[in-house]
Amino acid sequence: MISLRKSEDRGYADHGWLKSFHTFSFCDYFDAAHRGFGNLRVLNEDRLACSTGFGPHEHQDVEIVSWVLEGALAHKDCAGRAGVLRPGAVQVLSAGRGVRHREANAVKGEATHFLQAWLRPTCKAVEPGCAQLDVAPHRMRGRLALVAAPEAGEGTLRWHADARLYAGRFEGDEAAALALEPGRLACVHVARGSVEVNGRRLNTGDAALLSEEPRVLLRAGQGAEVLVFDLAP
């Protein structure tokens, strides 16, 4: 079964300094039919205006992944961990028993456009941590690159979530398939461009929510950049 979550049907908040689309219920936006999918709780598309950011705030017992599309996102937490996330890199923040951090637009004169997802952890009160890595373009070209998983690997960040995150870029005849184990769910989010997902055409900002499907098949991309979450129910 495939359910489409179209871009124009998402929640939207305009705070001036921040413009944010919500695939699932978030903050003041509530949709009883879209309160998450499996252990994926939040999937937001954000644009931070120049010289702005999220002030110090706290998270606990959540796994947060960020993916920048344009600009750069600066991060610093209470343990002194700091970095700047740019397009082609992924960051995982494991909040565990509690972490206080801030995020800001790190470029002058333009907005920073990024995706952020929150996932339910498999265990609570773990040691907080934050890591990021650059994803080589060739790993995503016409294929799905594993970038986050419960176990660390070469080119893969570890998180405390029963989920795997893949990133891919597709054009023309390029295609990739991801097998799903029985009972697993998948969320496919089109970050930019358009692509066919199991025969359904999705455009920028659209998501496909898959259940009881044996695989995810991506093909016929047009400038497509895609994130695929393999999720626990």
Side-chain angles (χ1 to χ4, degrees):
M1 183 172 65
I2 303 175
S3 173
L4 298 187
R5 181 68 161 143
K6 301 296 287 183
S7 176
E8 60 268 23
D9 296 330
R10 296 178 294 175
Y12 178 66
D14 185 346
H15 302 285
W17 62 277
L18 169 68
K19 295 177 172 59
S20 184
F21 287 96
H22 313 312
T23 299
F24 306 117
S25 295
F26 184 78
C27 289
D28 294 333
Y29 168 66
F30 178 76
D31 182 340
H34 297 93
R35 293 183 289 178
F37 188 62
N39 54 346
L40 178 61
R41 313 311 299 163
V42 169
L43 180 54
N44 289 347
E45 178 185 356
D46 292 343
R47 285 177 172 84
L48 270 178
C50 61
S51 303
T52 68
F54 302 92
H57 58 284
E58 188 166 354
H59 295 286
Q60 187 173 357
D61 289 330
V62 64
E63 301 293 301
I64 300 175
V65 60
S66 300
W67 182 269
V68 173
L69 296 168
E70 297 173 309
L73 186 68
H75 162 272
K76 186 173 183 179
D77 66 27
C78 56
R81 293 176 288 251
V84 176
L85 193 67
R86 294 183 171 83
V90 61
Q91 180 194 74
V92 168
L93 172 66
S94 295
R97 62 173 177 262
V99 64
R100 189 170 179 82
H101 78 147
R102 61 188 182 210
E103 297 159 293
N105 186 339
V107 293
K108 294 182 179 180
E110 63 180 272
T112 286
H113 180 197
F114 68 102
L115 303 173
Q116 190 168 91
W118 299 6
L119 292 99
R120 186 174 63 243
T122 51
C123 49
K124 294 185 176 182
V126 299
E127 179 71 20
C130 183
Q132 69 182 61
L133 64 83
D134 294 324
V135 184
H138 73 269
R139 291 186 61 208
M140 297 183 283
R141 185 72 270 157
R143 66 186 72 183
L144 289 171
L146 179 63
V147 297
E151 58 283 331
E154 185 176 354
T156 305
L157 295 178
R158 178 177 180 265
W159 58 16
H160 303 281
D162 184 4
R164 286 174 169 77
L165 173 61
Y166 300 83
R169 294 173 178 164
F170 298 91
E171 191 72 50
D173 293 335
E174 295 172 338
L178 175 67
L180 298 174
E181 295 182 2
R184 301 291 290 185
L185 306 176
C187 174
V188 181
H189 179 83
V190 181
R192 62 173 124 227
S194 68
V195 69
E196 281 189 13
V197 180
N198 289 29
R200 311 284 289 274
R201 173 62 61 176
L202 271 68
N203 299 307
T204 303
D206 293 346
L209 309 178
L210 288 75
S211 59
E212 300 178 4
E213 292 283 329
R215 65 174 182 170
V216 177
L217 176 61
L218 305 175
R219 61 177 300 276
Q222 297 176 3
E225 184 166 327
V226 182
L227 296 183
V228 179
F229 297 84
D230 176 344
L231 302 163

